[in-house]
Amino acid sequence: MTAQHAEEPAELIPRPEPTFPALRTALAKIASSRLAEFQADRDMAFTAATQHASFTPIRAFQLKWATEIEILRRPGLAARYQAALDAANSLDRDDPRWREAMDTCMAVHNEARAAVSDG
């Protein structure tokens, strides 16, 4: 008798609000290994915001990480992105499949960004 596999969830977690605490909490749940990268990016964004007296670096940080989390929280999208990244990193740039892989990476990123921008 074979075991039936449960269907993979469409989303691992709900989409978080684009605030530092909500994004950090979401990332801790789905990719805790990236928390140090998140914190370093946050520190750079706040430093740049202070130096330039502008909220633009903070908004860019929020959009970047909301997009990253959108990809990670959706297993199908994350798998598509990772497969394309792996292909792009292993294929020669002259190989037509390299361009296809890069196009897929961009399409996934754009889909995720649109989802968080439409919120």
Side-chain angles (χ1 to χ4, degrees), residues 8-12 15 30 66-86 101 103-116:
E8 190 173 85
E11 299 174 351
L12 297 176
R15 180 177 298 131
I30 58 175
T67 301
E68 290 288 323
I69 290 165
E70 182 66 17
I71 293 168
L72 293 168
R73 73 184 197 87
R74 296 169 51 191
L77 198 61
R80 204 169 110 216
Y81 188 66
Q82 191 59 54
L85 268 179
D86 291 347
D103 289 345
T104 298
C105 286
M106 184 60 75
V108 167
H109 189 267
N110 289 342
E111 180 181 335
R113 180 159 287 186
V116 300

Side-chain angles (χ1 to χ4, degrees), residues 6-118:
E7 277 193 37
E8 190 173 85
E11 299 174 351
L12 297 176
I13 61 170
R15 180 177 298 131
E17 292 294 319
T19 64
F20 172 73
L23 293 171
R24 186 185 185 294
T25 298
L27 190 62
K29 290 178 182 176
I30 58 175
S32 62
S33 64
R34 297 193 62 192
L35 284 171
E37 177 188 358
F38 177 85
Q39 187 64 42
D41 276 1
R42 178 187 174 270
D43 292 349
M44 286 190 301
F46 276 80
T47 298
T50 301
Q51 290 173 339
H52 302 290
S54 170
F55 286 112
T56 300
I58 295 169
R59 285 192 294 271
F61 163 84
Q62 289 170 313
L63 182 57
K64 173 192 173 178
W65 282 99
T67 301
E68 290 288 323
I69 290 165
E70 182 66 17
I71 293 168
L72 293 168
R73 73 184 197 87
R74 296 169 51 191
L77 198 61
R80 204 169 110 216
Y81 188 66
Q82 191 59 54
L85 268 179
D86 291 347
N89 288 324
S90 64
L91 294 169
D92 187 271
R93 287 181 181 225
D94 294 329
D95 187 325
R97 294 174 300 167
W98 181 84
R99 173 52 37 210
E100 291 171 23
M102 293 301 293
D103 289 345
T104 298
C105 286
M106 184 60 75
V108 167
H109 189 267
N110 289 342
E111 180 181 335
R113 180 159 287 186
V116 300
S117 295
D118 294 341

